Amino acid sequence: MSQNFFKSTRKIIGAGVNYKEILRATNGAKPENPVIFFKPISSLISSNDEDTIKVPKVFGAINYEAELGVVIGKRCKNVSPDQAMSYVAGYCLALDMTGMDFIVDARPKGLPWCLGKGFDTSTPVSRLIRPEELEDPTNVRVWCKVNEQMKQDDSTSNLIFTIPELIAFSSKYMTLEENDLILTGTPAGAGPVKHGDVVECGLGDIVQMKFHIKDEE
């Protein structure tokens, strides 16, 4: 599989509200099932695509959300959690950039999130991380800085729904295909960025990304 796996990705599946600290901070109840949303392929950019994330004119600001991404290696459908990891080709660092004003308005109305999640440059991804590089994806540090200030810092050991559970749940509803990308959720601490800000994020010391935030022209 190419390091540029995202060039043949056909689906981006996101998991919302999937860190324990978020539930503690909001006194929320654990969801019965993963909260799943989709992002279009046109939102994908690589970590060397001019290193720019653009704020659409329809949003005053956008939120940063650093995440562990899971890359599917072969087709699967209706897999069990016990089988799920055998379908993983590797991992990546991802940012799930979000037009949060749109989401906050849509959520209580029961409306889809797609317009707040799907704008161009909203899904920056790193190179493919081979499984041998990330020996324990269940306990890897996910961190994010804005203008050199740490904003997010947690471990995938605090995911509410684990990687196998996310794969198994998604595969009940759709066939997962080679190079499909599952975003596992973001830690507490996500917040807004605007034109001129700089976002840096990483998975432990394995891989890092750095992006400048610019207004759409």
Side-chain angles (χ1 to χ4, degrees), residues 148-161:
E148 299 186 351
Q149 292 188 346
M150 189 68 74
K151 298 292 186 178
Q152 295 182 289
D153 195 350
D154 207 335
S155 168
T156 56
S157 62
N158 291 316
L159 287 174
I160 297 170
F161 295 101

Side-chain angles (χ1 to χ4, degrees), residues 17-209:
V17 195
N18 200 33
Y19 270 83
K20 296 173 184 176
E21 184 58 32
I22 295 175
L23 292 186
R24 285 193 286 266
T26 60
N27 291 317
K30 177 184 175 180
E32 183 177 345
N33 292 305
V35 178
I36 296 297
F37 61 88
F38 291 92
K39 303 188 73 162
I41 303 308
S42 56
S43 70
L44 274 169
I45 58 171
S46 71
S47 57
N48 57 7
D49 282 350
E50 300 180 4
D51 298 323
T52 300
I53 296 170
K54 295 181 180 179
V55 182
K57 295 177 181 178
V58 292
F59 300 137
I62 53 177
N63 273 30
Y64 56 86
E65 299 185 13
E67 313 203 1
L68 171 67
V70 178
V71 183
I72 299 298
K74 54 185 177 181
R75 287 170 62 93
C76 60
K77 182 73 166 70
N78 288 320
V79 300
S80 69
D82 289 343
Q83 300 169 324
M85 295 305 288
S86 66
Y87 293 91
V88 173
Y91 306 91
C92 70
L93 171 63
L95 280 166
D96 173 22
M97 305 302 294
T98 302
M100 202 62 200
D101 288 348
F102 183 93
I103 301 294
V104 169
D105 181 64
R107 187 182 287 150
K109 298 175 182 177
L111 298 176
W113 297 3
C114 57
L115 296 182
K117 290 285 190 180
F119 57 90
D120 294 350
T121 74
S122 67
T123 318
V125 294
S126 72
R127 65 174 177 84
L128 179 70
I129 301 168
R130 301 286 181 179
E132 56 268 25
E133 292 184 81
L134 187 56
E135 295 180 358
D136 187 5
T138 67
N139 187 19
V140 61
R141 182 183 175 217
V142 179
W143 59 267
C144 186
K145 296 179 181 179
V146 177
N147 301 329
E148 299 186 351
Q149 292 188 346
M150 189 68 74
K151 298 292 186 178
Q152 295 182 289
D153 195 350
D154 207 335
S155 168
T156 56
S157 62
N158 291 316
L159 287 174
I160 297 170
F161 295 101
T162 65
I163 294 169
E165 288 171 331
L166 292 174
I167 294 171
F169 181 78
S170 299
S171 77
K172 291 180 182 179
Y173 294 89
M174 70 201 81
T175 298
L176 301 180
E177 301 169 289
E178 184 178 1
N179 292 320
D180 281 353
L181 176 61
I182 297 177
L183 305 179
T184 57
T186 197
V193 286
K194 61 185 185 306
H195 181 84
D197 288 337
V198 178
V199 177
E200 300 174 78
C201 57
L203 292 177
D205 298 322
I206 299 170
V207 68
Q208 299 182 19
M209 300 193 297

